[in-house]
Amino acid sequence: MGHFAVAHDGRVYVFPVHPGSQSGPAWAFDPATESWHVLQTRGMGPNCALIPKQTCDGKFYAVSRGLGAVHEFCFDPGPGARVAGTWCRLDVEGAATHDTCWWLQGLEWHAGRLWAFGGDAHSSPPRAEVWAVDPTARAARLAWELVKTVGPGPKVRRDPASALVVGRWIVQGGRRTDRCGTPVGGSTADCHAFDFKAREWSHLFAWVGS
């Protein structure tokens, strides 16, 4: 279980994550009135998911940790709506979707596509990858595309920080893992930037604390 949040139309929405069950209510915070509102949701939401920070045309997308299905959430219009919106599952194929060792660790929305960073610490050698998909295509077959990247990218890790900064994708920090992807103690504070157009990683810095 857990929660994730997304900003939309001047409000902050907080959604619960209930693995394998019907979606629960959402909480909406209105900064103008400094008040919380409880709203219902329709449909089956995701479990163990990540979401990008951005919404697009009144929607946002959540992706399961194994890079499988994409869940689309459509907000109900109107400030007086009693229902926050509706979840819809989109089945998306891809080489990583059925790999139980593959862990999604970063997700952003850029240029009409979802971009996912993750990897498999159990593979030999451990791999860290970037995948992309356009969930709005509504094609007969949606599929994750493995993005061929160049440059020194981040190594496999758990729970890094992920954000878009001036058009670049920043992945920073995270927990070190063993070959099975289990956190083994200690953390890494290195920082990498991804250029979407060039498909290139660059190493910004590595900080080591005392």
Side-chain angles (χ1 to χ4, degrees), residues 7-109:
H8 172 71
D9 198 22
R11 286 180 165 187
V12 176
Y13 291 82
V14 179
F15 295 84
V17 176
H18 297 288
S21 64
Q22 191 74 10
S23 299
W27 291 266
F29 179 73
D30 188 341
T33 61
E34 297 185 350
S35 59
W36 286 95
H37 305 274
V38 180
L39 303 173
Q40 298 301 313
T41 61
R42 305 186 190 95
M44 185 71 73
N47 58 54
C48 300
L50 290 185
I51 64 168
K53 287 73 175 176
Q54 306 83 13
T55 59
C56 176
D57 297 328
K59 303 176 183 178
F60 73 86
Y61 299 90
V63 178
S64 63
R65 285 283 188 178
L67 198 63
V70 174
H71 294 259
E72 177 185 79
F73 186 84
C74 299
F75 284 97
D76 279 13
R82 294 180 179 273
V83 177
T86 303
W87 286 106
C88 177
R89 176 187 169 111
L90 308 177
D91 288 318
V92 183
E93 300 177 5
T97 57
H98 303 296
D99 187 342
T100 57
C101 292
W102 202 98
W103 278 83
L104 173 64
Q105 295 302 323
L107 184 70
E108 300 295 339
W109 177 267

Side-chain angles (χ1 to χ4, degrees), residues 91-138:
D91 288 318
V92 183
E93 300 177 5
T97 57
H98 303 296
D99 187 342
T100 57
C101 292
W102 202 98
W103 278 83
L104 173 64
Q105 295 302 323
L107 184 70
E108 300 295 339
W109 177 267
H110 176 77
R113 305 179 87 189
L114 284 170
W115 297 77
F117 164 75
D120 179 5
H122 189 64
S123 65
S124 182
R127 71 180 194 268
E129 302 166 332
V130 174
W131 294 70
V133 67
D134 177 5
T136 68
R138 294 296 187 268

